[in-house]
Amino acid sequence: MIKTLTYFIAIFFIIGCKNEEKSSSEINNASKNPQKTEKNFGIVIHGGAGTILKENMSDSLESAYREKLKEAISAGYKILENGGTSLDAVTHTINIMEDSPLFNSGKGAVFTHEGRNELDASIMDGKTMNAGAIAGVRHIKNPIDLARDVMQNSEHVMLYGEGAEEFAKGLGYKMMDTSYFYTKNRYESLQKVLAKEKVQNEKKVSFEDPFIKNSKFGTVGCAALDKHGNLAAGTSTGGMTNKRWNRIGDAPIIGAGTYANNATCAVSSTGWGEYFIRAVVAYDISALMEYKGMTLQEAASEVIQKKVPALGGDGGIVAIDKDGNVAMEFNTSGMYRATMNSKGELTIGIYKEVD
Ligand code: ASP
């Protein structure tokens, strides 16, 4: 009896050791190949599309853009790398660009015909497909934060003007003096357009005019996929120089300027907003993936290289899909852009050619 018992105990001991061996070798394999056990993630940003030519750009301005794009995307990347959400990465990355006078969003926003700054922004969560947007605000330092608060702390999707600012005050936002948004460059761009309108006997200068196109747009946007498989996108802008009558572009319009759906992709647009609204650019890219089975790159080229130019518009998008594939598509001479993948590889571009 004792012999039989000893025999069984020995057998259980051997089986136990084998199982332990197996699980520790699995752990070893996993730590050698962290990519295999960890979900793909990534981030992509733009700082506006337009007539951006190397011959018009000084070396120092170009490196200032590159530095700021790198700073912004690295901050968002860090959030994702540490397991943070795509919504946090998008918001924080956009905040950095909103605070920089280089871009047409937050500080550095373009001027309206009346010499004001009116800011628009939107954000969308691909997991819940909830969204928030604000338009025409004049005292909010970081419009993307307020768009996010509309999404998370109101029953609405879009708030406009004074009402949006009342909502912000209720949440404790500081109201900025309008002088905060002033930059000499942007103010001079408006003065050039106004001078031209005078020469033309007050005839409105078209958004197609080189004065406006050369002010290089400068809207900012971001799309991200986090380690939890959730997509998000956001866009923030001052709109277009010399806009009038409380004109609102595509940036705060969900489906045109911003869209995110965990089943497909997250997209942020930049360009001539009237056309991006009519082509429902961001949603169209997602829909082509969802209903036609296109890849992100195919869908982005279809919309940006065919649909938008067929209407007469120009601009671009950045987007990331649910597997971490990225598209940075534009039909203008340049688009400030950058992307980082889950390996931490960084790509920065400004002009058409890969640089
Ligand atoms: N899409 C923006 C607007 O139309 C401008 C831009 O992206 O450059 O307001």
Side-chain angles (χ1 to χ4, degrees):
M1 180 68 183
I2 288 174
K3 257 190 183 174
T4 326
L5 253 180
T6 322
Y7 175 75
F8 276 118
I9 289 169
I11 297 260
F12 279 129
F13 183 73
I14 291 164
I15 291 172
C17 281
K18 281 220 160 143
N19 278 345
E20 244 172 56
E21 251 171 50
K22 194 178 161 207
S23 54
S24 66
S25 72
E26 269 171 2
I27 289 164
N28 279 343
N29 278 343
S31 63
K32 269 184 224 152
N33 286 318
Q35 301 288 349
K36 286 207 167 144
T37 53
E38 209 163 70
K39 283 231 178 185
N40 216 358
F41 66 97
I43 182 164
V44 60
I45 61 175
H46 69 75
T51 312
I52 308 167
L53 299 167
K54 191 152 180 77
E55 56 264 36
N56 297 337
M57 178 83 82
S58 69
D59 288 350
S60 62
L61 189 58
E62 180 171 331
S63 55
Y65 273 111
R66 287 182 183 278
E67 274 310 303
K68 197 45 87 175
L69 289 168
K70 188 174 171 190
E71 180 193 335
I73 201 158
S74 306
Y77 177 83
K78 209 165 175 194
I79 291 173
L80 298 173
E81 194 187 24
N82 291 335
T85 66
S86 50
L87 274 178
D88 282 347
V90 164
T91 313
H92 191 61
T93 302
I94 289 182
N95 284 164
I96 292 173
M97 293 191 281
E98 284 176 332
D99 292 345
S100 163
L102 289 173
F103 302 102
N104 170 20
S105 68
K107 176 143 189 91
V110 297
F111 283 85
T112 67
H113 182 77
E114 302 82 7
R116 296 149 47 130
N117 306 103
E118 294 176 353
L119 313 172
D120 307 330
S122 65
I123 192 161
M124 186 157 179
D125 178 359
K127 181 183 172 193
T128 57
M129 295 188 71
N130 202 354
I134 48 117
V137 295
R138 301 190 51 224
H139 305 89
I140 305 294
K141 181 170 175 274
N142 294 108
I144 197 70
D145 293 354
L146 189 54
R148 187 167 170 181
D149 272 320
V150 172
M151 173 171 83
Q152 292 178 333
N153 296 312
S154 86
E155 292 180 315
H156 308 296
V157 169
M158 191 174 191
L159 300 179
Y160 170 74
E162 284 172 17
E165 295 193 345
E166 277 307 306
F167 171 71
K169 280 181 202 160
L171 293 175
Y173 275 72
K174 182 180 171 203
M175 292 296 116
M176 303 301 289
D177 191 275
T178 51
S179 61
Y180 166 77
F181 300 99
Y182 172 90
T183 52
K184 193 165 170 271
N185 251 353
R186 300 295 190 190
Y187 192 70
E188 283 174 0
S189 293
L190 174 69
Q191 299 316 309
K192 281 185 193 164
V193 180
L194 293 180
K196 191 162 183 185
E197 280 187 348
K198 255 212 164 110
V199 173
Q200 294 175 176
N201 288 328
E202 304 303 327
K203 195 172 146 273
K204 189 172 178 346
V205 175
S206 159
F207 283 138
E208 198 142 17
D209 190 281
F211 278 149
I212 295 187
K213 287 210 159 183
N214 286 336
S215 67
K216 293 189 188 65
F217 298 77
T219 293
V220 305
C222 177
L225 169 68
D226 64 31
K227 286 183 177 175
H228 319 288
N230 293 320
L231 289 162
T235 311
S236 181
T237 190
M240 292 175 87
T241 304
N242 199 35
K243 66 182 184 179
R244 203 170 182 182
W245 304 304
N246 297 127
R247 175 263 189 194
I248 298 170
D250 61 316
I253 309 288
I254 296 301
T258 299
Y259 194 73
N261 177 353
N262 270 8
T264 53
C265 61
V267 184
S268 169
S269 309
T270 176
W272 194 341
E274 279 68 12
Y275 292 92
F276 277 61
I277 293 173
R278 289 162 57 198
V280 202
V281 165
Y283 175 72
D284 203 31
I285 292 171
S286 168
L288 286 170
M289 294 176 73
E290 188 171 357
Y291 301 125
K292 271 202 155 179
M294 284 190 181
T295 65
L296 175 64
Q297 187 52 54
E298 286 166 353
S301 325
E302 178 72 26
V303 176
I304 295 301
Q305 307 301 351
K306 292 186 191 158
K307 288 197 174 178
V308 172
L311 290 175
D314 60 6
I317 58 97
V318 294
I320 185 163
D321 73 13
K322 60 181 175 34
D323 303 313
N325 300 303
V326 160
M328 299 185 280
E329 195 68 27
F330 54 101
N331 59 31
T332 47
S333 59
M335 180 169 80
Y336 300 105
R337 59 198 186 276
T339 182
M340 272 182 100
N341 62 20
S342 53
K343 291 182 202 131
E345 291 159 345
L346 168 71
T347 311
I348 299 180
I350 296 180
Y351 313 107
K352 194 131 220 161
E353 314 74 47
V354 178
D355 38 21

